[in-house]
Amino acid sequence: MLDENEDFLENQFTEDDSSADENSGLFEHLNIKVDKNQEPLRIDKFLLIHRQNSSRNKISQTCRAGNVVVNGNPVKQNYRVKPGDEISVLLAHPPRENVIIPQDIPINIVYEDDDLVVVDKDPGMVVHPGFGNWDGTLVNALAFHFSKDPNYNSDLDRVGLVHRIDKDTSGLLVIAKNEYALSHLAKQFFDRKTKRLYWAFVWGNVQDDEGTVTGHIGRHPKNRMQMYTYVDGSHGKHAVTHYKVLERFRYMTWVECKLETGRTHQIRAHMKHIGHTLFNDERYEGNIIMRGVNLPKYKQFVQNVFEVLPRHALHAHTLGFIHPVTKKELYFESPMPKDMQEASERWRKYLENN
């Protein structure tokens, strides 16, 4: 999955060859009825689109174990799915119970038709249920919204979630309403054909007006809550971020970021790598005063801005893609959220007076 947060959800395909000879005692982790409009596609690629948090190697291992079943029969990874096929993935361990409860939570829907929804997510809202956040998420809100549509497939996995952004990142997301739209949109993300720009406030005065950060993104060697940039490519996954300065605030810079790849915390890790951690990004130590002057007045000013913008300053500003059915290009822009707007206005006033 390609996004500022890349690897979507947790691995659900695991290596388990103990049941290679028979399917007794296995648990069904996935069941898909292939859409009538689906073009022939290798099943390992098909499952990678529907479970992009996994890897082709793990999917192949599951096929070799005889645990990928089509129309009741185990298939190899080169099997080509056809319209109407019923696909099941069977594993030796039971799936985690995770019933999505529809909840009447306000969300900002900027576009909707029979196939998809585009949402402008507020900061602070978790996208999907998970450990510690089983309700109150965007998925819970969408489940409620879709429950009013008699034509919606309530069995669609994760309420058609195609990609995600962090809890404290605001901005645009697209959600599929049927399997065909989900597959088509996921493929666009996978092939890097979507048009997305992010706005970020970063610490410091970025030297160049435009630039590119290249370096593998992987887990930090010491702090497992952070991602880290490995310039030598020794760990992680290849990642490229292009940035452009939009406005300078002397000790902080407003930049526009375009992702050539999509890795977990890519913008946050890449900007920290070049010495410009996101403003008020607690996980990456951006919630301390990293630039400026050693004056009580300045320190108090920054603390006041932190209160106005109580999260990392990152916003998914644009989203463009090809509609899976009409084949027309759709393009959306989300204005700067109030907290980032207020923070920028305070910086401008501070610079005028100091």
Side-chain angles (χ1 to χ4, degrees), residues 4 192 194 196-200 202 206 208-215 217 238-246 254-263 266-271 274 278 314-315 318:
E4 201 272 321
R192 306 172 188 175
T194 58
R196 290 169 298 149
L197 295 174
Y198 287 80
W199 282 346
V202 300
V206 178
D208 299 322
D209 290 338
E210 296 184 12
T212 298
V213 186
T214 302
I217 299 290
H238 174 68
V240 179
T241 302
H242 306 284
Y243 66 85
K244 179 172 67 174
V245 172
L246 298 181
W254 172 15
V255 296
E256 179 181 87
C257 295
K258 180 179 180 181
L259 304 184
E260 189 172 309
T261 56
R263 309 302 184 198
Q266 179 172 320
I267 292 173
R268 299 164 74 179
H270 268 176
M271 297 311 293
I274 63 172
L278 262 63
L314 186 62
H315 179 65
T318 73

Side-chain angles (χ1 to χ4, degrees), residues 13 45 100 116-117 158 190 230 237 261 281 288 334-335:
F13 293 103
K45 294 182 178 180
I100 297 174
L116 56 89
V117 170
R158 294 277 178 178
F190 187 76
Y230 295 88
K237 299 178 180 179
T261 56
D281 190 346
I288 60 175
S334 170

